[in-house]
Amino acid sequence: MLDGAFPGKHISHPHKLVMPNLTEEVQSFLSDAKVKLQENTSRIDTLERNTTRPYRSNPGDTGEPDNNTKPAEKILRKAAVPTQNPMLGLYLKGIVLGDWSGMDLEKRTALSSVNANGGYTLPMDVSNEIVDFARAKSVCFDAGVRTLNMGEGFVRVPRLISDPVGTWKAENADLGTTAITFDSVDLHAHTLVATMRCSIELFEDSKMINETMVQSLTRALGLQLDEAILRGTGSTMPTGIRNTTGVTIVNADSVAPAGGAQITRDMISNACQTIWSANGNPNSVIMSPREFGILDRGIDQLGQPLEPFPSYDLLSKHVTSSIPTNLGSVADSTATTTSELFVGDFTQVVAALRTNWTVEASRSAIGAFSMMQVVVRLYSRWDVGVLLPAHFVVIKNLIA
């Protein structure tokens, strides 16, 4: 009914007075909800980082979004977070017990042909899942090491030896040439195996055995990948950073090299300087638990914790038991008390995967039949390549 339709009557429209207040309330509610969502997202990101690794996984990580991080680096870190419900456990239960419950027919038929040893080549998605689990257990991948799929047993990856140099040119002057030197990294697949055994009764009765076996196998694989990337000898395993030509090896004690020395922040700062001089940008430091503890307990004359150098503070810190603390001393080869520490740009290392993971389960291998046990073996083929050796420094002869 319109105003003025009845003489002497004025019909009001209450909704015209209420609507502005309602709009303001809705806008205020939406604004508060947006702030809460941002706060919760930040808390979730912080919890994920803290539960994945006890130390900061990214240089300069303060808990705030890193707008300078390259998209590829973000994708790499996300890829290292495994799924909550590993399919490998379901495949193990089906292979060992013949119980395929909980797995649809499509996934079961995706299990490739059985080999002569009773082994199964796992589907690509399950193989990638194992890679993700192993990477989650590996500090080297957390430090930035990238993965590469090898199409065949031998792959040659180009490597830049010297950077191009720009020159200023005068008018009508001859333009000189600057050489760019390339080398190559030859990748040859090496076999990585993890084996474990348990009783058939445990497999039949325990609901957690599948998850436990997955965690145990992938933890072993992650530690072996760390050892290969850091200290691989190149014989039956890949050649790691420590044994790659062009990597700078520094003795911990520059005054009396034979004696060795405890790790200090000065040593790590000098290592960063060496890498900066080679036009590199170190992003991580990897050390043994002993060396991390020594640095962590450092105090000044007043008993206060030492302030870290900016170079050390910006590095992502990682600890692994794959770095031994019983290496031979330079002074006395019979004294096995030294360790090593690695500083560098770990994005310049690639771990190349040749074949999908193959899982084998046997009730008769290695005496399993007489003890009613199951032997499970998981293997694949890998190699490691250091693309820029000059961007790494290894500090050796560290003592407790």
Side-chain angles (χ1 to χ4, degrees):
M1 188 71 70
L2 299 176
D3 292 346
F6 296 95
K9 299 286 186 178
H10 177 78
I11 302 176
S12 61
H13 297 269
H15 63 275
K16 290 185 178 180
L17 300 176
V18 175
M19 186 59 69
N21 294 332
L22 180 60
T23 302
E24 291 176 0
E25 291 177 1
V26 171
Q27 290 177 345
S28 177
F29 174 81
L30 292 176
S31 178
D32 292 342
K34 183 178 180 181
V35 172
K36 291 293 184 182
L37 178 61
Q38 292 175 344
E39 291 176 353
N40 291 334
T41 301
S42 178
R43 292 191 186 101
I44 291 172
D45 290 341
T46 302
L47 287 172
E48 287 179 346
R49 282 193 298 271
N50 292 339
T51 53
T52 300
R53 188 68 57 190
Y55 311 107
R56 294 180 305 174
S57 60
N58 307 309
D61 196 344
T62 60
E64 297 297 328
D66 184 3
N67 295 326
N68 297 321
T69 304
K70 299 178 182 179
E73 295 173 344
K74 293 181 180 178
I75 294 172
L76 178 64
R77 289 198 296 270
K78 290 296 183 183
V81 180
T83 178
Q84 297 291 335
N85 300 304
M87 288 185 290
L88 176 60
L90 296 177
Y91 278 106
L92 284 176
K93 183 178 70 173
I95 293 172
V96 174
L97 301 177
D99 180 6
W100 298 97
S101 59
M103 181 177 296
D104 54 45
L105 182 61
E106 181 180 358
K107 291 182 178 180
R108 177 181 174 181
T109 55
L111 197 64
S112 299
S113 58
V114 183
N115 63 34
N117 296 321
Y120 294 79
T121 301
L122 295 172
M124 180 63 72
D125 55 346
V126 184
S127 182
N128 290 338
E129 175 189 272
I130 299 173
V131 173
D132 286 345
F133 267 96
R135 286 172 57 173
K137 301 296 189 299
S138 163
V139 301
C140 289
F141 287 103
D142 202 19
V145 171
R146 296 174 289 172
T147 54
L148 170 70
N149 288 324
M150 298 174 63
E152 51 192 29
F154 170 76
V155 173
R156 177 161 289 175
V157 179
R159 175 171 61 186
L160 184 66
I161 297 299
S162 63
D163 295 322
V165 179
T167 59
W168 295 97
K169 175 187 174 298
E171 185 177 357
N172 295 323
D174 181 57
L175 178 62
T177 59
T178 59
I180 306 175
T181 305
F182 283 93
D183 191 6
S184 64
V185 180
D186 295 339
L187 301 177
H188 302 268
H190 299 262
T191 303
L192 174 61
V193 185
T195 304
M196 67 180 303
R197 59 197 301 162
C198 68
S199 68
I200 295 176
E201 292 89 344
L202 183 61
F203 239 112
E204 292 176 341
D205 298 339
S206 176
K207 295 182 179 180
M208 296 183 61
I209 184 61
N210 300 329
E211 179 182 350
T212 302
M213 292 191 73
V214 170
Q215 293 291 337
S216 179
L217 288 170
T218 53
R219 185 183 300 111
L221 296 172
L223 288 173
Q224 285 301 315
L225 285 171
D226 278 344
E227 181 179 358
I229 292 170
L230 296 174
R231 308 191 71 256
T233 60
S235 54
T236 59
M237 63 192 306
T239 301
I241 296 171
R242 176 67 172 83
N243 296 300
T244 296
T245 302
V247 172
T248 302
I249 310 295
V250 177
N251 200 305
D253 193 339
S254 58
V255 179
Q262 276 193 348
I263 185 63
T264 65
R265 290 170 172 81
D266 301 68
M267 297 180 189
I268 298 176
S269 178
N270 288 331
C272 291
Q273 180 178 336
T274 299
I275 297 171
W276 290 328
S277 299
N279 296 322
N281 185 26
N283 71 337
S284 300
V285 55
I286 300 179
M287 65 194 89
S288 71
R290 187 185 74 183
E291 269 54 54
F292 186 88
I294 292 173
L295 290 171
D296 189 55
R297 292 188 296 270
I299 57 176
D300 59 21
Q301 296 178 347
L302 299 177
Q304 299 298 316
L306 290 175
E307 289 292 333
F309 295 157
S311 57
Y312 178 75
D313 194 39
L314 290 174
L315 291 173
S316 175
K317 292 100 177 153
H318 303 273
V319 179
T320 177
S321 59
S322 294
I323 302 178
T325 56
N326 60 349
L327 300 174
S329 170
V330 176
D332 182 4
S333 59
T334 62
T336 54
T337 58
T338 71
S339 186
E340 296 173 340
L341 179 144
F342 296 75
V343 181
D345 180 5
F346 284 82
T347 64
Q348 299 303 322
V349 178
V350 293
L353 174 63
R354 168 64 182 94
T355 57
N356 287 354
W357 292 94
T358 298
V359 60
E360 295 177 341
S362 174
R363 297 191 181 196
S364 58
I366 322 177
F369 183 81
S370 61
M371 293 182 287
M372 288 195 66
Q373 291 181 335
V374 176
V375 179
V376 178
R377 180 168 65 189
L378 189 68
Y379 69 88
S380 183
R381 300 175 65 201
W382 292 78
D383 201 4
V384 174
V386 181
L387 302 183
L388 290 173
H391 292 184
F392 290 89
V393 173
V394 179
I395 304 174
K396 68 175 184 178
N397 209 30
L398 294 168
I399 60 176

